[in-house]
Amino acid sequence: MGDDVLLSVVVAILVFLSTAVSIGLAAYVRYRIDHPIADSFGRLLAAYGLWAGCYLRMLLGPPGVLTRAAVVGQGIAAAFSIAAWFAFVIDYTGDSEWIPDTAPRLLWLWAGVHGFLRISNPNDLFISEIVYDSFGLFVLPLEVYGPLTRGTFLVTTLLLLFTFGLLVRFIRRAQSLYRYQAIIILGAVVVNTASTLLFLFDVRLHPQLDLTPVLYAGQGVVIWIALYRYDFLRRAPVAADRFFREMADPAVIVDDELTVIEYNEAATRVVGTLDKRAKLTEPDAEGFSERVQAAIENPETPVEVTTNESPARVYDLEVTAVTDQFDLTQGYVVVLRDITDRKQRERQLEEQNDRLEEFADVVSHDLRNPLSTAEGWAAAITDALDGEEPDVETARMGLEHIATSHNRMDELIGMLLTMARQGQTVADPEPVSIEDCATDAWATAETGELELAVAGDRTVAADPARLRQAFENLFRNANDHGEASMVTVTTTPDGFAVEDDGTGIDSDDYEALFEFGYSTDDEGTGIGLAVVKRIIEAHGWRIAVDERDDGGTCFEITGVST
């Protein structure tokens, strides 16, 4: 058996397999795969199958009308293959948002017009003639191209180059898993296109032989394998890739040994530097690996991650196991949900609940005392005026006590309102001078014989009215409890301080000093310093109390923004 005979048999088998496999895979994709990309891929396989089928008829059939129809048909199938390939690449890469919707339709229209002109072939513009020559066991036709066929090759080459660009762009942006798949697809297309160009320049195994249909059918099989290998016929590769890459929540994919497989950009902003194929324990930003391990071992126990940035963010760590077809864990998807706002709302709710409890204490205790006193004196006045000789003096004294009780209740109610208002966060701070604010507060505070000294000044972002009230309460506290003669307001690197030269405060009272209702004076309300603390915290600052080196008390406010 000669070489041409053997080659003809091999080619016939390859063309037959190309036709059968392409049509079979097209039918499988069309009827068994439910996926947005399946339609375009199925049309591509069908076009490749039609192309190979026409060439099979050209190879096996004797010269005649049917063979000529197969020659015309393979050119039509080739044009539709290019249109189907263009549509498939757009769907696969997800670049349809910037390519006009009419582009694929125009290509299908072009393929249809091309097919009509090949059939009618006016003035031999597409097919000059068909020549026959022996090829091993067969007589194989070969078309002599007309002038418009060269234009068709030019359009085809430009379209292929454009789809190359789309694939390269996708490869550069895709995660590694999708990048490998796209490289396989691109490689198959490059090899195919190169072989087609060789054919056009008459570099062939046999002068009559055109293996282009076989190569393109093989390309379809390679694409199928690439898609099926990564199971992307059942899950949208582009959508999944973009969702993972562009999702706002930080996400990291690790294997069962906590080696990083993939991560998105948002994860690096929270976790820090991440490297693929490196264990989480190597960067170990903020003890992240320990928290991931804790979440894996105790999935029912909430795990939180707090960053060191200013202001700090709080994330809820969610770990989802990735299992294979045997339900064996192969890795984990770690997602960080930003719960900073939720945590802040929880803290605000807790503070509101605490204030409600404090208000209930005032209503049940502090308001009840003057109310009971008023009721008792009201009864005494009634008894004093009901006798034959009314006791006017007792009644007058009772009215004075009732007025005093009412004044006390009015004072407590006012303080309750103050507590409710001062617990609110400062939303729109203004530039405030510490020196000016302290001086204004001194003018209205009840400070007796005390003297004020302001050492240094700074401008802070604050609510001027509320900051002034905080100064007033601190000045009044120094006058009422400290037996001081001088109050000094000083600036510090991180805020400011209010100091006095009095007897100071017992260190045992430091923790309870700012609690609502706590007072070292039997006549005190225990509200003044509690209000101060709420004003300071409403600004996002912190307040602490300490003893001065030379005696007296120092209230230091820190965390102040300039």
Side-chain angles (χ1 to χ4, degrees):
M1 181 181 293
D3 293 339
D4 285 353
V5 173
L6 179 60
L7 180 61
S8 65
V9 172
V10 172
V11 169
I13 295 174
L14 288 176
V15 175
F16 173 78
L17 291 176
S18 299
T19 304
V21 172
S22 296
I23 297 298
L25 290 180
Y28 181 84
V29 172
R30 173 65 178 81
Y31 296 105
R32 299 294 299 274
I33 302 298
D34 182 17
H35 187 279
I37 205 175
D39 289 339
S40 60
F41 185 49
R43 286 191 290 267
L44 178 64
L45 290 171
Y48 287 166
L50 179 61
W51 191 355
C54 289
Y55 196 73
L56 182 64
R57 179 64 183 80
M58 292 167 53
L59 184 67
L60 300 179
V65 176
L66 293 180
T67 300
R68 182 180 179 85
V71 173
V72 174
Q74 73 140 358
I76 297 174
F80 276 99
S81 296
I82 295 301
W85 167 251
F86 185 84
F88 167 75
V89 171
I90 290 177
D91 288 345
Y92 175 75
T93 59
D95 280 323
S96 57
E97 68 271 11
W98 63 275
I99 297 176
D101 294 337
T102 56
R105 298 172 189 170
L106 289 175
L107 278 179
W108 288 114
L109 178 62
W110 166 80
V113 172
H114 176 270
F116 174 78
L117 292 177
R118 277 186 67 86
I119 294 173
S120 58
N121 195 32
N123 300 318
D124 295 335
L125 292 177
F126 278 89
I127 303 176
S128 294
E129 62 175 320
I130 298 176
V131 296
Y132 295 87
D133 195 1
S134 62
F135 172 57
L137 299 178
F138 312 110
V139 176
L140 187 63
L142 182 69
E143 69 175 276
V144 179
Y145 302 129
L148 289 185
T149 302
R150 300 294 178 182
T152 301
F153 289 149
L154 177 61
V155 172
T156 300
T157 303
L158 292 176
L159 288 174
L160 288 175
L161 291 176
F162 183 75
T163 56
F164 289 169
L166 294 181
L167 286 171
V168 171
R169 180 172 178 264
F170 175 74
I171 290 171
R172 294 181 62 183
R173 294 183 301 125
Q175 300 291 332
S176 61
L177 187 63
Y178 312 115
R179 186 178 297 124
Y180 299 148
Q181 181 198 59
I183 289 175
I184 292 173
I185 296 174
L186 180 61
V189 177
V190 169
V191 172
N192 238 5
T193 305
S195 63
T196 302
L197 293 175
L198 291 176
F199 172 79
L200 294 177
F201 288 101
D202 294 328
V203 180
R204 314 177 189 181
L205 294 176
H206 188 278
Q208 294 288 113
L209 184 60
D210 179 10
L211 289 180
T212 306
V214 177
L215 293 174
Y216 273 87
Q219 171 184 294
V221 174
V222 171
I223 294 174
W224 166 275
I225 293 173
L227 293 174
Y228 188 80
R229 166 65 179 82
Y230 296 106
D231 202 20
F232 287 155
L233 289 179
R234 293 177 174 83
R235 282 182 286 275
V238 176
D241 175 42
R242 287 190 171 181
F243 176 77
F244 181 81
R245 187 176 66 249
E246 299 175 5
M247 66 185 293
D249 291 328
V252 182
I253 302 176
V254 298
D255 63 14
D256 56 343
E257 297 181 352
L258 298 189
T259 299
V260 177
I261 299 174
E262 290 291 348
Y263 59 89
N264 61 5
E265 184 179 351
T268 60
R269 294 194 294 266
V270 176
V271 181
T273 302
L274 289 170
D275 295 312
K276 295 178 183 178
R277 295 177 295 278
K279 290 185 178 296
L280 278 180
T281 52
E282 293 179 16
D284 197 28
E286 308 304 328
F288 182 64
S289 59
E290 287 81 358
R291 288 175 170 81
V292 172
Q293 190 65 49
I296 293 173
E297 295 174 354
N298 300 287
E300 302 300 325
T301 303
V303 177
E304 296 179 0
V305 176
T306 303
T307 64
N308 282 334
E309 59 185 323
S310 181
R313 309 294 297 179
V314 182
Y315 293 87
D316 181 34
L317 194 150
E318 298 179 2
V319 177
T320 303
V322 179
T323 58
D324 58 16
Q325 66 270 34
F326 305 107
D327 289 332
L328 298 176
T329 299
Q330 300 296 330
Y332 303 92
V333 178
V334 182
V335 179
L336 298 170
R337 308 288 185 189
D338 192 335
I339 59 173
T340 306
D341 294 338
R342 191 187 79 190
K343 283 292 184 180
Q344 184 176 0
R345 288 193 296 271
E346 290 176 355
R347 286 194 298 269
Q348 291 174 346
L349 183 60
E350 291 176 359
E351 292 173 358
Q352 291 174 359
N353 290 336
D354 291 340
R355 287 199 296 272
L356 286 175
E357 292 180 3
E358 293 169 351
F359 298 160
D361 291 341
V362 173
V363 172
S364 63
H365 182 267
D366 290 15
L367 280 178
R368 182 175 296 172
N369 289 336
L371 180 61
S372 299
T373 300
E375 290 176 348
W377 280 106
I381 291 173
T382 301
D383 293 340
L385 297 179
D386 283 347
E388 295 181 358
E389 296 182 5
D391 188 350
V392 177
E393 187 64 28
T394 300
R396 183 180 294 109
M397 183 174 59
L399 290 174
E400 292 176 356
H401 282 288
I402 290 175
T404 300
S405 297
H406 285 169
N407 289 337
R408 177 58 175 164
M409 285 189 288
D410 183 64
E411 178 185 1
L412 290 173
I413 291 172
M415 290 183 177
L416 280 173
L417 294 176
T418 299
M419 292 293 293
R421 292 166 183 156
Q422 301 309 339
Q424 299 172 357
T425 302
V426 174
D428 299 309
E430 304 173 12
V432 178
S433 166
I434 292 295
E435 181 179 10
D436 293 345
C437 189
T439 303
D440 293 342
W442 186 266
T444 55
E446 298 176 3
T447 55
E449 301 298 325
L450 283 176
E451 294 182 6
L452 174 67
V454 179
D457 187 22
R458 69 183 302 176
T459 301
V460 300
D463 182 325
R466 295 167 72 177
L467 182 56
R468 175 175 173 173
Q469 183 176 3
F471 275 123
E472 288 179 355
N473 288 8
L474 290 172
F475 296 157
R476 191 178 297 113
N477 180 78
N479 181 65
D480 294 342
H481 304 289
E483 299 181 7
S485 61
M486 173 70 73
V487 174
T488 305
V489 177
T490 62
T491 59
T492 64
D494 196 25
F496 57 94
V498 178
E499 305 175 348
D500 65 59
D501 58 356
T503 57
I505 300 173
D506 192 333
S507 59
D508 294 336
D509 295 328
Y510 285 173
E511 293 186 5
L513 196 60
F514 297 105
E515 293 180 3
F516 182 83
Y518 181 84
S519 177
T520 57
D521 190 339
D522 294 337
E523 297 181 359
T525 62
I527 294 179
L529 291 180
V531 169
V532 170
K533 182 180 180 183
R534 276 162 176 73
I535 293 174
I536 297 303
E537 292 181 345
H539 284 81
W541 307 338
R542 297 176 297 278
I543 185 171
V545 61
D546 201 355
E547 183 178 2
R548 288 182 18 160
D549 294 337
D550 56 352
T553 305
C554 173
F555 291 92
E556 185 175 6
I557 293 84
T558 58
V560 179
S561 59
T562 300

